[in-house]
Amino acid sequence: MATIRDIAKITGFSITTVSRVINGHPYVDEQKRAAILAVMEELDYKPNKIAQKLSSGKTYNIGVIVPFVNHAFFDGILNGIMEEAFAKKYKVTLLPTNFDRKLELEYLEEFAAKGFDGLIVITRANHIETFYPYMEKGPIVFCENSTGTAVPFVAIDLVGSVTASINYLKEQGVKRLGLTLGRSKRLSCNSVNTIAKAKELFPAFSEADIYWDCIKAQDGISAAAFFKERGIDGVITNGDEIAAMILNQYSHGTAPIVIGQENLLISQMLHFSSVEFHLNQCGKEAFRLFQERKQEQIILPYELIIRE
Amino acid sequence: MATIRDIAKITGFSITTVSRVINGHPYVDEQKRAAILAVMEELDYKPNKIAQKLSSGKTYNIGVIVPFVNHAFFDGILNGIMEEAFAKKYKVTLLPTNFDRKLELEYLEEFAAKGFDGLIVITRANHIETFYPYMEKGPIVFCENSTGTAVPFVAIDLVGSVTASINYLKEQGVKRLGLTLGRSKRLSCNSVNTIAKAKELFPAFSEADIYWDCIKAQDGISAAAFFKERGIDGVITNGDEIAAMILNQYSHGTAPIVIGQENLLISQMLHFSSVEFHLNQCGKEAFRLFQERKQEQIILPYELIIRE
DNA sequence: TTGTATGCGTTATCAC
DNA sequence: GTGATAACGCATACAA
């Protein structure tokens, strides 16, 4: 591997001059520039990226903490982040936690060790306080509603959408409301907020009618069994694929009214209601907050898409 | 930011000794090790990742070249790569090309400049020959059938699945066969192979019955119009979402028999046939080939899943 | 316009 | 066990 030193030695110029050529700086004689470029070409020389990063202190790399990929919600946001990062010449490194707190901590350590210029946390495994000390090391942006803290975030309006969904179900005469939720409420403030809203707006709602740990489409199968047994006639799910799976289990008998999330193609095809969260925009804004080092807290508008 | 030098200075030991402590090397007095660790803790010292990479020459980072994310096929393979990379302590950096040849070349340059330890190319934009010179810089693995070359790859058996699909459609009495394909055949050998098989096994097939540039679900709308107009009664699509969209357009009138790909939830829900390619495994094997620097060429088995 | 010298933060070699 | 010192490859004040 040829280095900048080799090029300098061979061309007879100094490392500095070669460096100037590499970076397209002015104040280099055109003749010499051409000669240096020729040698670089001949030796198939490429400036070492790592060395450049070490020297500049910038990696042009952003880490994205996410439970896992291949999941509509996370992928939607990730997609937005990537589009924006790409436009700004940043690279995106995936940091999947699978909700493992220790693993997430390792990523934070790596960030503190200058592994990334910034971090976007789509969904965290640890408590938000855990992140505070690391936020002094560099910009960290969250994609979760963290009202009450001072962290920059851009989040979807889950409370708003749940409110609208419940009101709609009430209008439709739903008697017993069911919910599917992801991780236990101890960990997810989204779950906490959703439950609070349900209790507030739907007095008959009982926490016993929540189907927990509902993450992937397949979880919809047992969720449906759960709801059938309890005579649920209206369900707010945490994902279109889950919603689809639930509906599919009701092939005979009347299905409850089910509301999905993410407004995926499947909700359109199976014709059930869903919520458009603008996940792509969420990701884009998150990256913008990182890059401009803004401290904003943004909640995106949602649209409840009724299909009946 | 505290550096190893600071720790050395404060503790009064040499940089070497501190480095030994960092890396858990032997031959360090336990007393001193403890003292050094204490100071590191106190100063919140973390060894700089970039410096470590420069010094070691390894990044523990692998780049994945892919047209874009949020697409079932690519995400499926990506997921497999990530699982395996994760298990082997590697990080994954996404390199989206949007089929831009020049952009892909930039990624290759970055790879040559030691930006990544290896590259996995899910789908390439450039000709395979373009990659040859870069393969001398480090391991590159492809996820596309590249029989006839010497490059390591792990691919899905598209020819096999198309063969099986066509035979099935023939059995079902299909008279006029339609195809949806992605990029023009000039660029994609998958397209070339698919067409060849169609002509071979389905004599009545005409290239005029191919709907091109069919990438995203929405493309299924005009694909359906295209097929309706031409009286197509059997379609092999290049994706379940596209297949679903096509079927959806036939709400009144008899729909053609449609075969999807990827065996997504939606094919199960809408009950149309599809092909299981084991994309996850494809990604995993690709990473394995990278890590073990194997030159293997693997074609994965498929399963045609008939739903009628 | 060009070059010298130094820094970036680690790891590795080798002598003590 | 320990510590100078030289890589690693590049960027950049500052001097010339």
Side-chain angles (χ1 to χ4, degrees), chain A residues 107-136:
Chain A
Y107 292 144
L108 286 170
E109 283 295 309
E110 185 142 352
F111 170 62
K114 304 278 177 214
F116 312 99
D117 289 352
L119 233 40
I120 294 181
V121 183
I122 295 186
T123 294
R124 58 186 160 71
N126 284 279
H127 213 278
I128 187 105
E129 273 93 11
T130 312
F131 293 78
Y132 291 166
Y134 294 98
M135 298 184 65
E136 294 164 13

Side-chain angles (χ1 to χ4, degrees), chain B residues 13-14 16-17 20 27-29 32 54:
Chain B
F13 300 113
S14 74
T16 312
T17 302
R20 285 211 179 88
Y27 304 127
V28 177
D29 184 280
K32 300 176 182 174
L54 177 61

Side-chain angles (χ1 to χ4, degrees), chain A:
Chain A
M1 275 286 86
T3 74
I4 195 172
R5 244 178 292 267
D6 299 327
I7 307 294
K9 194 163 292 172
I10 293 173
T11 58
F13 300 112
S14 74
I15 289 180
T16 313
T17 304
V18 177
S19 174
R20 285 209 178 87
V21 172
I22 292 172
N23 297 289
H25 285 179
Y27 304 128
V28 177
D29 184 280
E30 275 313 317
Q31 305 274 322
K32 299 176 182 174
R33 181 189 299 274
I36 289 171
L37 282 172
V39 173
M40 289 186 352
E41 174 79 12
E42 188 190 352
L43 294 197
D44 194 29
Y45 164 78
K46 333 259 177 189
N48 183 302
K49 286 287 174 197
I50 307 290
Q52 287 181 322
K53 288 174 183 180
L54 178 60
S55 193
S56 72
K58 285 197 66 171
T59 66
Y60 276 95
N61 199 336
I62 185 170
V64 177
I65 291 184
V66 63
F68 39 80
V69 290
N70 238 335
H71 180 289
F73 184 83
F74 305 131
D75 284 4
I77 295 179
L78 179 60
N79 209 26
I81 294 173
M82 284 186 57
E83 282 181 27
E84 203 63 16
F86 175 79
K88 297 289 165 42
K89 302 290 178 194
Y90 272 78
K91 298 234 172 336
V92 173
T93 298
L94 264 18
L95 271 18
T97 66
N98 200 26
F99 291 119
D100 182 327
R101 321 250 290 265
K102 241 181 74 192
L103 184 53
E104 189 175 75
L105 262 175
E106 284 178 30
Y107 292 144
L108 286 170
E109 283 295 309
E110 185 142 352
F111 170 62
K114 304 278 177 214
F116 312 99
D117 289 352
L119 233 40
I120 294 181
V121 183
I122 295 186
T123 294
R124 58 186 160 71
N126 284 279
H127 213 278
I128 187 105
E129 273 93 11
T130 312
F131 293 78
Y132 291 166
Y134 294 98
M135 298 184 65
E136 294 164 13
K137 309 283 185 175
I140 302 183
V141 177
F142 295 81
C143 293
E144 207 164 14
N145 190 326
S146 309
T147 310
T149 74
V151 308
F153 71 79
V154 33
I156 61 170
D157 186 4
L158 201 63
V159 169
S161 77
V162 167
T163 303
S165 300
I166 293 177
N167 285 335
Y168 169 72
L169 291 179
K170 276 161 74 177
E171 283 168 26
Q172 299 300 305
V174 164
K175 294 276 173 280
R176 187 157 180 185
L177 173 69
L179 250 47
T180 68
L181 289 172
R183 298 171 301 152
S184 71
K185 66 179 168 183
R186 197 167 46 77
L187 290 169
S188 163
C189 45
N190 276 342
S191 299
V192 175
N193 294 334
T194 303
I195 295 171
K197 265 301 164 206
K199 284 184 175 167
E200 175 192 334
L201 300 173
F202 204 99
F205 174 72
S206 152
E207 282 201 41
D209 289 338
I210 299 173
Y211 184 81
W212 285 103
D213 295 314
C214 201
I215 313 266
K216 299 266 190 179
Q218 294 304 318
D219 299 328
I221 298 177
S222 28
F226 177 84
F227 293 136
K228 273 182 193 170
E229 195 179 345
R230 308 180 75 84
I232 302 290
D233 60 346
V235 184
I236 297 177
T237 69
N238 54 338
D240 272 356
E241 299 219 316
I242 290 164
M245 204 53 138
I246 290 174
L247 280 168
N248 189 249
Q249 298 302 109
Y250 280 88
S251 45
H252 12 262
T254 37
I257 302 180
V258 172
I259 300 182
Q261 272 184 16
E262 300 136 7
N263 190 25
L264 298 184
L265 180 66
I266 200 166
S267 67
Q268 195 182 329
M269 298 288 108
L270 261 39
H271 208 76
F272 59 82
S273 300
S274 187
V275 183
E276 170 63 59
F277 283 133
H278 307 295
L279 297 178
N280 193 282
Q281 192 195 341
C282 180
K284 285 187 170 174
E285 297 275 342
F287 185 86
R288 193 175 59 72
L289 256 43
F290 148 71
Q291 219 218 340
E292 301 176 0
R293 273 138 188 77
K294 295 248 170 112
Q295 292 297 318
E296 295 173 36
Q297 301 196 329
I298 302 173
I299 294 179
L300 262 25
Y302 67 93
E303 277 123 45
L304 179 59
I305 296 172
I306 298 298
R307 300 188 180 99
E308 48 196 14

